[in-house]
Amino acid sequence: MTYKTISAASIAALLIGASGAMAETWRYAFEEALDEVQGKFAQKFKEEVEANSDHEIQLFPFGTLGESADIMEQAQSGILQFVDQSPGFTGALIPEAQVFFVPYLLPAEQSQLVEFFRTSKAIHELFPPLYADQGLELLTMFPEGEVMMTTQEAVNSPEDLNEVKFRVMTNPLLVDSYEAFGATPTPLPTGEIYGALQTGIIQGQENPAFYIESMKMYEVTDHITRIGHSNYTTAVMANKEFFDGLSDEDKKVIQDATAAAFDYIIEYQEGLTEESLAKIQEAKPEITITTLTEEEREPFKATAESVEQKFLEIGGSQAQAILEQMKADLAAAAGGGETSSTAENEDEAAAAETPAEGEAVEGEAGN
């Protein structure tokens, strides 16, 4: 456990929460502020739990209990009952979760993206056992918004990132991705990004627009570039021992609260990216906000295959199965196929769709 980053006030808050009716007070930490996406999700989750049970949820926004590594350790040890953390910070813990950093894997079209997160067998069936191995109950994953670059110099091609020290999360595959883009990836904790940009330790970073706006990263960079390569993903988890020890009634309260918060946060994000970019433009009129054309994106997209192969090398024992299932899930979300990618189901589907000898084929399946 890393305690050195936890303030005395934070420890006191935990002790206050632990006093009294221990079973009725659940602690939930996340990586953003209360008025940011993870904070909004957490508040809705708290509202639903408290409206439908006698339990209380204590919320701990970013920084109150340390950095991302600290809150994960606290969740695994049972100090926290709930934690919200991006797979970007759990890549070493659950290497298969790095799949979300294969560039251009997730769709840019919002309705397809939401459908994928709602229905994905990879998320709802394959990932939970991997999280369980780390003492965590995976409750849900949800998207937080299109990831875009902020840099000191304009970026129109990978050549423009040559030798640019670019901050990334402490995630091996994200490092590989930005190396493929031509940059010099520099892993740093979230709390160090602004200062590192200000002092020139790094010259770029990536995040969704709402986070760039709320953390005022536009103050220390001059260009925002949308290359369409990723959508920030996060995962809400419970300490598994805690969750497994709950009554069926309490488990249902948590599951229902999670579902309600998911629906809420998807609706909350409608228009959020453009609203955040407008606020940035108003605060700093001279900043450039550029959306690359499809032609300009092609050199970035060309790196995806090599990063995907790297994922298969470092993504853990289930990397192949996870990647195949995600691709099947994404095709289904786009209206192009079923969500199962197992050989058995493919064989069954082929048998069902193959006409008997002499039978006429009336039309093609799919859209």
Side-chain angles (χ1 to χ4, degrees), residues 114-151:
V114 172
E115 180 67 12
F116 164 72
F117 277 92
R118 284 192 189 280
T119 62
S120 168
K121 288 192 174 184
I123 290 175
H124 299 294
E125 296 180 16
L126 300 189
F127 272 118
L130 300 175
Y131 279 77
D133 288 344
Q134 301 301 326
L136 300 163
E137 178 75 19
L138 179 61
L139 298 177
T140 193
M141 290 183 174
F142 63 89
E144 289 196 55
E146 175 194 348
V147 172
M148 48 196 75
M149 301 177 180
T150 65
T151 52

Side-chain angles (χ1 to χ4, degrees), residues 10-221:
S10 299
I11 294 173
L14 284 177
L15 292 175
I16 290 170
S19 65
M22 182 73 171
E24 296 182 357
T25 303
W26 297 340
R27 294 173 291 280
Y28 181 146
F30 45 97
E31 298 176 313
E32 297 168 7
L34 273 172
D35 60 353
E36 294 169 346
V37 172
Q38 289 184 21
K40 293 292 186 180
F41 182 99
Q43 289 180 77
K44 181 62 175 178
F45 179 87
K46 170 184 170 72
E47 175 188 315
E48 292 291 325
V49 168
E50 293 180 353
N52 294 286
S53 74
D54 293 330
H55 303 297
E56 176 189 357
I57 301 287
Q58 285 187 308
L59 300 180
F60 295 91
F62 174 75
T64 55
L65 299 177
E67 284 280 357
S68 296
D70 300 310
I71 62 173
M72 176 54 74
E73 289 175 357
Q74 292 160 40
Q76 288 180 291
S77 69
I79 293 174
L80 294 170
Q81 281 71 50
F82 302 99
V83 66
D84 188 340
Q85 187 163 100
S86 165
F89 290 109
T90 55
L93 194 65
I94 305 167
E96 289 86 351
Q98 295 178 88
V99 71
F100 290 98
F101 297 96
V102 174
Y104 299 100
L105 180 62
L106 296 178
E109 210 285 315
Q110 185 67 8
S111 64
Q112 292 180 20
L113 185 72
V114 172
E115 180 67 12
F116 164 72
F117 277 92
R118 284 192 189 280
T119 62
S120 168
K121 288 192 174 184
I123 290 175
H124 299 294
E125 296 180 16
L126 300 189
F127 272 118
L130 300 175
Y131 279 77
D133 288 344
Q134 301 301 326
L136 300 163
E137 178 75 19
L138 179 61
L139 298 177
T140 193
M141 290 183 174
F142 63 89
E144 289 196 55
E146 175 194 348
V147 172
M148 48 196 75
M149 301 177 180
T150 65
T151 52
Q152 309 292 4
E153 303 294 334
V155 175
N156 293 291
S157 71
E159 287 74 21
D160 295 325
L161 290 172
N162 185 38
E163 297 186 359
V164 172
K165 292 181 180 177
F166 203 98
R167 180 267 173 179
V168 296
M169 288 180 281
T170 52
N171 179 289
L173 197 71
L174 198 52
V175 169
D176 289 318
S177 182
Y178 268 90
E179 284 180 345
F181 284 167
T184 301
T186 307
L188 284 175
T190 304
E192 297 180 19
I193 300 174
Y194 188 98
L197 287 168
Q198 190 173 39
T199 58
I201 294 173
I202 56 174
Q203 293 87 46
Q205 67 85 44
E206 66 163 31
N207 260 302
F210 79 86
Y211 200 72
I212 295 169
E213 188 270 323
S214 66
M215 296 300 289
K216 300 187 184 301
M217 292 177 191
Y218 59 86
E219 294 181 343
V220 286
T221 50

